């Protein structure tokens, strides 16, 4: 399983980080988790095979996690020759179909009738769906917005957990326990803490509960640039820590 952090930033504009997006490559599955602003062009910058994506999954409906979704569909239809014909599965929590309908009304891009077969699936906030080839996607609620979920991707050997946006949550940490890699949002310093996001210290406490093989901090706001994030995390968690940037690649289950 190969994991590429496409966008390691958050809602605030950054010169070096675009908004949320993670590519997961497992067997024949090419899954994009979230598609915030800048993610589509970042895939081009990194040489990612964006025409070859097989699945897209949304963690929740904030703009910094889905605003490039329409850009991606337009690129599949008008940004390549020939246009995309391969099927795609688009997944998200309850409410996803309504969001797709509102996007269609705003941008005249109905993803379900856009020139190639699209299967749009609303997952329960706690459920599992096969993606093909023995790869599964599982969802678990996190207390960020009413619909927010985290995802677990498993190929039967390795397990990746992507938090989406979340504050500290013991139930989520227990669900993520023992995963090969935990991509955990790490938004703001303790001095700017808000109830809906994590600080590095909160990330450390979550990691201490989840005990991942590797912890990856992402979704950074500018006030954390230059901070000693691994040092702050280490007050509670002594395992391997990676502070993601756009283009960070993990080969599971590696520890380097």
């Amino acid at each position: 399983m190969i994991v590429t952090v496409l966008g390691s930033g958050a809602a605030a504009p950054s010169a070096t980080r675009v908004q949320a997006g993670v590519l997961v490559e497992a067997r024949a599955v090419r899954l994009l988790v979230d598609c915030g602003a800048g993610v589509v062009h970042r895939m081009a910058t990194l040489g990612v095979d964006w025409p070859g994506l097989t699945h897209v999954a949304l963690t929740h409906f904030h703009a910094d996690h889905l605003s490039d979704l329409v850009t991606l569909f337009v690129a599949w239809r008008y940004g390549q020759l020939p246009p995309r014909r391969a099927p795609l599965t688009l997944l998200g929590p309850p409410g996803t179909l309504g969001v797709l309908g509102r996007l269609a009304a705003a941008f005249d891009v109905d993803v379900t009738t856009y020139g190639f077969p699209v299967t749009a699936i609303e997952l329960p906030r706690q459920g599992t769906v096969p993606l093909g080839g023995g790869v599964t996607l599982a969802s678990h609620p996190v207390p960020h917005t009413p619909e927010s979920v985290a995802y677990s991707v498993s190929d039967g050997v390795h397990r990746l957990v992507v938090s989406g946006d979340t504050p500290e949550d013991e139930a989520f940490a227990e669900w993520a326990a023992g995963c090969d890699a935990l991509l955990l949002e790490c938004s703001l310093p303790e001095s700017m803490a808000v109830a809906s996001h994590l600080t590095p210290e909160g990330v450390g406490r979550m990691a201490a509960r989840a005990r991942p093989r590797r912890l990856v901090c992402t979704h950074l706001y500018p006030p954390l640039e230059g901070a000693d994030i691994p040092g702050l995390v280490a007050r509670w968690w002594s395992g391997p820590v990676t502070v993601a940037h756009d283009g960070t690649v993990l080969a599971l289950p590696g520890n380097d």
Side-chain angles (χ1 to χ4, degrees):
M1 185 184 295
I2 306 297
V3 182
T4 305
V5 179
L6 303 170
S8 59
S14 166
T16 58
R17 301 179 187 274
V18 302
Q19 293 178 354
V22 177
L23 173 66
V24 185
E25 300 173 272
R27 299 176 184 166
V29 170
R30 301 292 180 269
L31 166 68
L32 175 64
V33 179
D34 284 335
C35 193
V39 165
V40 172
H41 286 81
R42 183 65 80 219
M43 285 193 282
T45 302
L46 297 172
V48 168
D49 178 21
W50 57 269
L53 294 175
T54 59
H55 299 75
V56 176
L58 303 176
T59 61
H60 63 293
F61 308 143
H62 281 165
D64 57 324
H65 291 257
L66 62 69
S67 62
D68 245 13
L69 186 63
V70 170
T71 301
L72 181 57
F73 273 81
V74 170
W76 278 329
R77 181 164 179 173
Y78 297 111
Q80 58 180 3
L81 290 174
R84 183 183 178 114
R85 294 289 181 263
L88 180 90
T89 301
L90 195 156
L91 309 105
T96 295
L97 297 181
V99 168
L100 296 179
R102 292 190 290 276
L103 289 174
F107 295 100
D108 194 25
V109 178
D110 184 346
V111 303
T112 62
T113 60
Y114 211 56
F116 56 92
V118 176
T119 301
I121 300 172
E122 286 191 353
L123 292 172
R125 291 187 73 220
Q126 190 156 16
T128 303
V129 62
L131 301 183
V135 179
T136 58
L137 179 73
S139 56
H140 190 281
V142 290
H144 179 66
T145 64
E147 78 279 356
S148 289
V149 294
Y151 287 120
S152 168
V153 185
S154 174
D155 61 7
V157 179
H158 307 127
R159 182 181 180 225
L160 164 75
V161 173
V162 181
S163 71
D165 285 1
T166 185
E168 292 186 56
D169 184 65
E170 186 171 351
F172 165 57
E174 291 176 355
W175 179 76
C179 61
D180 291 289
L182 174 59
L183 268 66
L184 200 54
E185 75 121 272
C186 182
S187 291
L188 294 163
E190 197 75 13
S191 62
M192 300 176 68
V194 296
S196 56
H197 287 288
L198 287 169
T199 65
E201 290 86 344
V203 167
R205 289 187 287 269
M206 289 285 284
R209 296 185 184 105
R211 305 175 305 282
R213 185 165 182 171
R214 171 164 288 280
L215 172 67
V216 181
C217 300
T218 188
H219 200 264
L220 277 69
Y221 278 84
L224 275 180
E225 299 292 353
D228 180 14
I229 294 174
L232 296 170
V233 169
R235 296 179 183 179
W236 283 269
W237 169 247
S238 60
V241 179
T242 297
V243 178
H245 55 79
D246 292 10
T248 292
V249 178
L250 307 169
L252 302 188
N255 269 333
D256 53 328

